[in-house]
Amino acid sequence: MKKILRIIDKITKWESMLLGAVFLALTLIVFTQIVLRTTKTGNLVWLDELCRVIMVDTTFVGACVALTRGELTSLNLVTDLLSEKKRNMLAVVTNIIGGIFSIWLGTRGWTAMVGMIEQNVRTVSLGVPYWVTYLPIAIALFGMGGRFFLLTYVSFLRAFRPDNDLLEGRME
């Protein structure tokens, strides 16, 4: 299990670096578009669509990183009133629900993507096959589902085996 947690840590670091690089590139692209429009030297219409696609895709990857780091938005009103064991038992249930929902959404996204491949649907201004824009979303949702199930296991250990050394400094 420690090996799996180390792999998840490495994947999360890679995703964080990728997100940083993508947002830096996105910033430069948007700045370039603003300069071109302001100086009236040109207008790269396809940049708007590219930025929109990148923003949507990176949102799902960012959600995976936030989930792994325990920074995904949550409502703590009820859980703050519970004991540590009950909080972790509730986390087991909610993480299972989150995992099932993420896998279901990933499956729906994958099905939509396959339909786009079959119909050869393309983006309007980029001309890129639309399935390419859906692939990162589906992969991120499957990754999120896997992380929810991993969090389920961690919450289970915290509830019933709080002395386990596997949990040292790990996922919240």
Side-chain angles (χ1 to χ4, degrees):
M1 188 57 166
K2 284 186 179 186
K3 195 178 254 188
I4 291 173
L5 290 173
R6 270 189 258 124
I7 291 170
I8 293 295
D9 286 344
K10 286 181 182 183
I11 290 172
T12 302
K13 283 181 185 177
W14 183 84
E15 287 169 335
S16 297
M17 289 188 303
L18 176 70
L19 287 171
V22 166
F23 277 112
L24 178 63
L26 201 58
T27 302
L28 293 173
I29 289 170
V30 170
F31 179 75
T32 302
Q33 179 72 329
I34 290 169
V35 168
L36 289 174
R37 285 183 182 171
T38 305
T39 60
K40 297 185 184 346
T41 56
N43 183 11
L44 303 174
V45 179
W46 57 270
L47 278 179
D48 293 334
E49 186 174 39
L50 176 66
C51 290
R52 196 169 39 253
V53 167
I54 289 173
M55 286 297 289
V56 170
D57 289 348
T58 55
T59 299
F60 285 92
V61 176
C64 285
V65 172
L67 179 64
T68 303
R69 292 181 177 172
E71 298 171 354
L72 196 62
T73 302
S74 63
L75 188 60
N76 299 338
L77 179 66
V78 174
T79 57
D80 287 348
L81 300 173
L82 300 174
S83 68
E84 186 72 24
K85 184 171 182 169
K86 288 180 182 176
R87 186 179 311 142
N88 284 311
M89 288 168 45
L90 181 61
V92 167
V93 173
T94 57
N95 286 329
I96 287 173
I97 292 169
I100 290 170
F101 186 66
S102 296
I103 298 294
W104 178 78
L105 275 179
T107 304
R108 300 299 302 152
W110 191 269
T111 303
M113 186 188 73
V114 169
M116 290 175 192
I117 292 172
E118 292 169 355
Q119 295 175 4
N120 196 25
V121 180
R122 295 187 172 273
T123 58
V124 177
S125 59
L126 288 173
V128 173
Y130 232 121
W131 69 267
V132 173
T133 66
Y134 273 64
L135 181 62
I137 295 171
I139 291 172
L141 285 167
F142 287 131
M144 191 175 250
R147 291 172 194 200
F148 267 118
F149 290 126
L150 184 60
L151 281 171
T152 300
Y153 181 68
V154 170
S155 296
F156 178 83
L157 287 179
R158 284 195 172 129
F160 298 106
R161 293 189 182 159
D163 56 337
N164 193 319
D165 68 334
L166 178 68
L167 303 177
E168 299 278 329
R170 292 293 175 186
M171 302 168 85
E172 295 299 321

